[in-house]
Amino acid sequence: MNTSNNSHTKHANGIPADIEQPSMLISQESIHQTSSKTKYGMFVVLWAVLVIPALVVVYFSLFAPTGTVAEMPIKPPTNRPIQGPIIATPEFTTSPTRLNPTQVPSASPTLVPTMSPTEVKSAIQDFLFEDDFEVQAAADNPAVSKAMDWLIDEASAARSLFFPFDQKYLQRFGILIFYYSVFKDRDFELGEVPIPNIGMRTQDECFWRGMKCDENGMLIEIKLINKQLDGVLPSSWNFFPHLKSIDLSKNGLQGNIPEELYDLVGLEQIYLYKNQLQGTISSKIGRLFDLTHFHVSNNKISGTIPPEIASHRQMFRQLRYFNVHRNEMTGSIPSNLNLRQMFYMDLGYNKFDGELPPELGNEYVRLRHLYLDHNNFEGSVPESYINAGNGRIQTLTLNNNNFTGAFPGNHEVYNRMLQLRIENNNFDSMDKSTCQLGIFSGGELVEFKSDCLVCRCGVAFMCRNCELS
């Protein structure tokens, strides 16, 4: 029994004494020594973590060079904001990159990081009136002076030059000149917002009233219809080399159409009707080969139709719409204009005279509306006029002139005439084929007026509205 009990004697750690394992035969003294070394190592590491950073801070506090640490500048936005000045520092700074910068190389001077208000004013003036620029503006012109002052005030209020000196900055200057020219100094009514105003500062000029730009930020359209413009058109237009359309109709503009406007060879549309413009249509209009619409009716324009608007053999003009209705123009219609794209032509209510050029009806192959009424034209009416536009002319007004002879017939079979007026002339007869143009005779004519002594259609509809001679 004793032998059996001894065989299962266990050590204090619970392992039977008869099982000898080398890894477990470690003395208690060895275990205590290892634990002490571990605690000492952890103390050294903790001391290094806490004490060394503190020593570094103390060192830089005592021995670092004196002076303030320069703050990292905040990078200005790359896109040009629409509203609101950026007031980052009390000094003047150079401007951020503009929205949609142009590829036109900048001619601006190199600007230092900070500039005084006087230096800013000088820099703006030097750039705007740089001798190397093609853009010219008379500094003694009140509108030019006001525009320059506005730009200087803008930079002063924003405490920044804000916009770089480039083609768009010249464009901005040109638009301001335009505003100060077409708007007279006057007292604005309550609720009326004057143009220009301080709300436009630091705003891209493409977002200003009446302005439209292309994807590169270049002005392509000016449109201010019925905006009470009562000034004059400026003479400075070469600020806008990409301008395609200008519409200032239904205003009170005075003075002449400036010669410089015709220097914009890319112009396609000019709408200046219902103003108080005077002067003549410049012969320089012949330079505008891309012009499609020219509308200056209801003004006081004098002079003749420039023969320079004729097409060339190498290039046909794109002119489709020509309207000088109710002006004071004189002379005759130039021969051989060959305006093959002409669709609408209104010379009514002027003082034109002479005989009609016979080739007009054949050359104007797309003509649909021709108004020659209330002038002093004379002679006979060429047969080609009643068949103009390849027989598709829809409106022909010859009334209130001095035409004589017989009014021609021989209308094309596919004639599409809707309105025909020949009253108040000196015709002695009318071809009977004209009577077949009425809607009750298979035609499309809905308005026909002639002198009663001429109208011999025998149809009440055709002669009902005849004028007694």
Side-chain angles (χ1 to χ4, degrees):
M1 296 292 295
N2 292 336
T3 305
S4 176
N5 291 336
N6 290 338
S7 64
H8 294 288
T9 302
K10 297 179 180 181
H11 291 292
N13 56 8
I15 302 174
D18 58 350
I19 300 176
E20 293 185 5
Q21 297 182 12
S23 61
M24 303 301 295
L25 302 178
I26 301 174
S27 65
Q28 295 295 327
E29 182 179 358
S30 175
I31 293 173
H32 286 299
Q33 288 178 355
T34 302
S35 176
S36 299
K37 290 180 181 180
T38 302
K39 292 180 180 178
Y40 177 76
M42 292 176 63
F43 175 78
V44 171
V45 172
L46 182 62
W47 182 87
V49 171
L50 297 177
V51 176
I52 292 177
L55 292 176
V56 172
V57 173
V58 172
Y59 170 80
F60 280 102
S61 300
L62 296 177
F63 303 104
T66 60
T68 59
V69 180
E71 297 181 358
M72 292 296 292
I74 300 176
K75 184 178 179 181
T78 56
N79 287 333
R80 181 173 177 173
I82 295 178
Q83 291 184 345
I86 296 178
I87 306 177
T89 60
E91 295 85 12
F92 284 89
T93 61
T94 56
S95 61
T97 304
R98 303 184 74 188
L99 176 66
N100 295 324
T102 65
Q103 301 301 319
V104 180
S106 173
S108 64
T110 302
L111 303 177
V112 296
T114 59
M115 302 176 68
S116 67
T118 303
E119 291 172 328
V120 170
K121 178 179 180 180
S122 178
I124 292 176
Q125 290 176 333
D126 291 345
F127 173 73
L128 295 180
F129 298 102
E130 178 67 42
D131 292 338
D132 295 337
F133 286 159
E134 294 182 3
V135 175
Q136 299 293 329
D140 56 349
N141 185 323
V144 174
S145 300
K146 291 177 182 178
M148 183 174 60
D149 291 342
W150 195 94
L151 291 176
I152 294 172
D153 291 342
E154 175 186 48
S156 300
R159 296 182 178 275
S160 170
L161 286 176
F162 211 85
F163 301 126
F165 288 163
D166 57 9
Q167 180 63 48
K168 273 182 68 67
Y169 200 78
L170 288 173
Q171 174 177 279
R172 190 177 187 83
F173 181 46
I175 294 176
L176 289 168
I177 295 175
F178 170 82
Y179 280 148
Y180 281 118
S181 297
V182 298
F183 286 103
K184 278 186 177 180
D185 290 330
R186 59 185 176 88
D187 295 329
F188 289 88
E189 299 179 0
L190 183 63
E192 209 176 355
V193 180
I195 299 178
N197 55 71
I198 60 174
M200 296 162 51
R201 289 176 179 173
T202 70
Q203 187 184 47
D204 193 295
E205 66 275 4
C206 293
F207 297 99
W208 288 353
R209 185 183 300 180
M211 304 298 149
K212 180 180 178 180
C213 298
D214 61 14
E215 64 277 5
N216 296 317
M218 295 288 98
L219 187 67
I220 58 174
E221 180 181 336
I222 299 177
K223 190 173 184 179
L224 290 168
I225 305 173
N226 197 17
K227 299 298 182 183
Q228 301 181 20
L229 310 184
D230 51 2
V232 299
L233 293 172
S235 58
S236 302
W237 287 94
N238 43 4
F239 293 104
F240 319 124
H242 301 274
L243 191 64
K244 301 292 185 184
S245 176
I246 177 171
D247 190 347
L248 305 176
S249 53
K250 298 181 182 180
N251 285 290
L253 293 172
Q254 304 176 16
N256 300 340
I257 301 176
E259 291 279 316
E260 292 79 4
L261 181 63
Y262 301 102
D263 291 331
L264 302 178
V265 293
L267 268 179
E268 298 174 359
Q269 300 175 339
I270 298 177
Y271 297 103
L272 299 172
Y273 62 93
K274 290 189 177 180
N275 280 284
Q276 300 178 33
L277 297 172
Q278 301 177 352
T280 63
I281 300 174
S282 172
S283 61
K284 292 172 67 175
I285 194 175
R287 303 180 58 186
L288 306 183
F289 260 88
D290 293 332
L291 188 66
T292 61
H293 291 71
F294 184 77
H295 191 175
V296 295
S297 69
N298 291 275
N299 280 285
K300 301 177 182 178
I301 296 175
S302 57
T304 61
I305 298 175
E308 286 79 6
I309 67 171
S311 293
H312 296 171
R313 288 184 178 180
Q314 296 80 8
M315 184 182 299
F316 287 108
R317 289 195 180 276
Q318 301 304 310
L319 191 59
R320 289 174 45 84
Y321 185 98
F322 186 82
N323 192 338
V324 294
H325 178 82
R326 286 192 183 274
N327 278 281
E328 300 175 1
M329 298 187 68
T330 57
S332 59
I333 300 176
S335 299
N336 300 312
L337 293 180
N338 201 16
L339 300 175
R340 301 179 66 84
Q341 300 295 329
M342 185 66 70
F343 182 88
Y344 185 106
M345 189 175 197
D346 191 346
L347 310 183
Y349 283 89
N350 278 278
K351 300 176 182 178
F352 292 113
D353 54 23
E355 296 186 358
L356 300 181
E359 74 282 352
L360 185 149
N362 295 324
E363 291 179 346
Y364 293 28
V365 294
R366 289 178 173 82
L367 188 63
R368 296 296 182 269
H369 307 277
L370 179 60
Y371 299 88
L372 303 177
D373 56 285
H374 294 87
N375 282 286
N376 297 314
F377 290 118
E378 57 188 15
S380 61
V381 175
E383 186 175 290
S384 64
Y385 279 64
I386 61 174
N387 294 311
N390 284 333
R392 291 178 173 85
I393 188 168
Q394 298 175 4
T395 305
L396 178 61
T397 63
L398 304 172
N399 53 292
N400 296 84
N401 279 284
N402 299 316
F403 292 118
T404 57
F407 183 75
N410 194 23
H411 300 273
E412 296 285 352
V413 175
Y414 43 84
N415 193 286
R416 296 293 182 267
M417 190 82 72
L418 299 175
Q419 179 186 23
L420 176 61
R421 297 187 60 176
I422 61 173
E423 77 273 15
N424 294 320
N425 279 287
N426 298 315
F427 292 118
D428 53 29
S429 63
M430 181 183 73
D431 192 283
K432 215 173 180 184
S433 63
T434 303
C435 303
Q436 304 302 315
L437 300 177
I439 57 175
F440 296 111
S441 300
E444 299 183 9
L445 190 64
V446 295
E447 181 182 2
F448 173 71
K449 288 187 177 181
S450 71
D451 298 326
C452 291
L453 295 178
V454 175
C455 187
R456 292 290 184 268
C457 293
V459 181
F461 167 75
M462 295 296 291
C463 300
R464 179 176 55 189
N465 297 315
C466 65
E467 299 287 338
L468 293 173
S469 298

